[in-house]
Amino acid sequence: MDDRPLLLDVSRMVWRVWSSRLPTGIDRVCLAYLERFADRALAVVQRGEFRMVLSATQSDALFALLREGGRGFRPRLVALLGQAILRRERVAMAGKLYLNIGHTGLDAPGLPAWLARRRLRPVFLIHDLIPITHPEFCRDGEDLRHKARMRHALSSAHGIIANSRATLDALTAFAASDGLSMPESMVAWLGADEQVDPVPLPPPARPSFVTIGTIEARKNHLLLLHIWERLAARMGPNTPELILVGQRGWEADDVFALLDRSPRLKGHVRELGRCDDATMLATIDQARAVLLPSFIEGFGIPLVEALQRGTPVIASDLPVFHEIAGEIPLYLDPLDGQRWETAICDFLTDSPERQRQLAAIPDFRPHSWEDHFNRVEVWLSEL
């Protein structure tokens, strides 16, 4: 009998590594939970209505494979899971905590019944309710899928972890509007990754600004590109450089069209679609500011990363940004292009606002993953 007390759903990690996508913020959280709980957990893999719990030996092999990733991942995964199916072992599950950290499979109709039949105690980490509160920024139908995820989580959870107070407030409002009760819940801010050394970069030929995140509609890259078109028309070769760190996503065809075809942006905007952490940190270090004009966020890892590096931030006036960074950043309305343009021009100099931030940033104390897990593990033990 496996005496490990936890089941850790690694489905999101499996399919992300399979598709060779660089890790997003949610993927980094999943990996942090893998590192923390691997030696106490059995792996769960699901796809549609297929679900499998691996034995301890099989789980350890899968955890190691997910950590390693890289070339050869697909055939090794197929061999591992194929063997696990052929040699499916009976695993005692009743009473174990089931941790689903990445939302994967929460919309599957059969998940709540599967959890109930196995007498598991499910705990879900909820990252955001953006597809429900702001469906205009998501793929068609994603609002319905996310409503199913949240309903299943609320109806079957033994406990809910929210990555921010803003996320928990949104979930509580959704539960009330849907006539569902809230399970035991807690807020645990995400940890700041242990930072690697930045790669050495040559001194920049001109000032630069950086924005970090998947290129999708809610990140509001369009605001920045229109500003840079105006700056280029006015400043010519003295235009600062805008660096976009992040892969191309969805619902942003107008952004992609400008990036691919606008002659005014040529030479002034640079995409880093496959950017490792060391390069990202180096670009942050050289930037006059990190720009975060999002319409909505569940948390704000790039905000934390910027302040960790001592770089000022111009950000949208969102409750979650205030929650995690206090009054250090300069907050602006994400629709007010003129104020963003004025602020960016001010940050080209040692303006009073930029100096204020530089003086305040040393007081910023990000939460570590140790802080996160110390809170979570005490709470799990009391559930």
Side-chain angles (χ1 to χ4, degrees):
M1 178 186 298
D2 290 307
D3 58 0
R4 298 186 181 186
L6 305 173
L7 301 183
L8 181 62
D9 197 313
V10 295
S11 305
R12 180 185 173 95
M13 284 182 277
V14 167
W15 307 127
R16 292 289 292 190
V17 179
W18 178 278
S19 63
S20 300
R21 297 280 291 179
L22 291 177
T24 64
I26 294 179
D27 299 323
R28 293 174 186 273
V29 179
C30 292
L31 182 58
Y33 270 74
L34 172 64
E35 296 296 340
R36 184 73 175 197
F37 293 115
D39 60 348
R40 289 173 274 168
L42 303 176
V44 178
V45 178
Q46 58 173 314
R47 185 75 168 178
E49 293 298 343
F50 171 80
R51 298 174 188 88
M52 180 169 60
V53 180
L54 278 62
S55 68
T57 301
Q58 295 164 346
S59 296
D60 289 341
L62 180 55
F63 295 155
L65 183 57
L66 289 170
R67 290 187 182 105
E68 184 178 339
R71 297 181 63 182
F73 175 81
R74 288 187 177 191
R76 293 170 65 189
L77 175 69
V78 170
L80 192 160
L81 294 182
Q83 186 180 61
I85 291 171
L86 290 173
R87 301 179 181 178
R88 203 156 185 172
E89 300 181 27
R90 188 174 182 84
V91 177
M93 289 186 263
K96 293 184 187 292
L97 284 171
Y98 164 80
L99 301 180
N100 187 311
I101 306 304
H103 290 181
T104 302
L106 287 188
D107 57 333
L111 180 64
W114 181 82
L115 295 169
R117 285 198 305 272
R118 269 64 180 180
R119 290 185 290 160
L120 295 170
R121 296 183 295 151
V123 174
F124 304 104
L125 198 159
I126 304 301
H127 295 268
D128 62 68
L129 278 80
I130 292 170
I132 299 172
T133 60
H134 295 74
E136 65 272 23
F137 298 134
C138 303
R139 298 183 183 95
D140 287 344
E142 188 62 19
D143 57 334
L144 298 179
R145 286 187 288 272
H146 209 61
K147 286 178 181 178
R149 294 183 190 110
M150 296 303 102
R151 287 170 182 145
H152 290 167
L154 290 167
S155 63
S156 60
H158 195 63
I160 294 283
I161 303 168
N163 62 355
S164 66
R165 171 57 57 182
T167 295
L168 187 58
D169 289 346
L171 181 63
T172 302
F174 172 77
S177 68
D178 229 46
L180 298 170
S181 59
M182 280 292 295
E184 290 289 328
S185 57
M186 70 168 301
V187 173
W189 287 357
L190 305 181
D193 287 335
E194 183 176 336
Q195 296 196 341
V196 299
D197 292 330
V199 299
L201 294 179
R206 52 185 164 153
S208 65
F209 292 83
V210 179
T211 188
I212 303 167
T214 301
I215 301 177
E216 54 175 303
R218 71 179 175 88
K219 297 290 187 178
N220 201 16
H221 290 81
L222 195 61
L223 173 105
L224 299 180
L225 297 186
H226 285 324
I227 290 172
W228 249 259
E229 286 189 313
R230 294 194 294 271
L231 293 178
R234 189 166 70 246
M235 302 175 69
N238 296 320
T239 304
E241 185 177 39
L242 174 63
I243 302 172
L244 311 182
V245 176
Q247 302 166 95
R248 292 195 179 193
W250 50 89
E251 302 297 326
D253 290 344
D254 44 2
V255 173
F256 305 149
L258 279 175
L259 289 172
D260 293 337
R261 296 193 286 273
S262 173
R264 295 179 294 277
L265 298 178
K266 188 174 179 60
H268 303 306
V269 176
R270 178 158 51 104
E271 281 187 81
L272 295 180
R274 295 191 68 83
C275 180
D276 59 36
D277 287 351
T279 302
M280 178 189 70
L281 295 179
T283 62
I284 291 174
D285 287 348
Q286 291 189 344
R288 300 297 295 175
V290 169
L291 308 177
L292 301 173
S294 300
F295 289 111
I296 184 67
E297 293 285 353
F299 193 65
I301 290 176
L303 172 56
V304 174
E305 290 170 332
L307 296 181
Q308 274 186 297
R309 304 301 301 177
T311 300
V313 175
I314 307 173
S316 292
D317 193 3
L318 301 179
V320 70
F321 286 168
H322 286 272
E323 180 183 340
I324 63 180
E327 298 311 307
I328 295 176
L330 171 62
Y331 295 112
L332 299 175
D333 185 331
L335 294 174
D336 193 341
Q338 186 56 60
R339 286 199 65 196
W340 277 84
E341 184 173 341
T342 298
I344 288 165
C345 291
D346 285 347
F347 273 56
L348 287 171
T349 69
D350 290 326
S351 63
E353 172 58 30
R354 191 169 189 276
Q355 290 301 308
R356 180 196 68 79
Q357 282 202 47
L358 290 172
I361 286 173
D363 293 329
F364 177 70
R365 293 291 179 268
H367 277 219
S368 67
W369 278 115
E370 191 67 25
D371 296 330
H372 175 93
F373 286 120
N374 285 342
R375 283 179 50 78
V376 166
E377 291 196 57
V378 168
W379 180 76
L380 288 177
S381 70
E382 296 172 349
L383 269 179

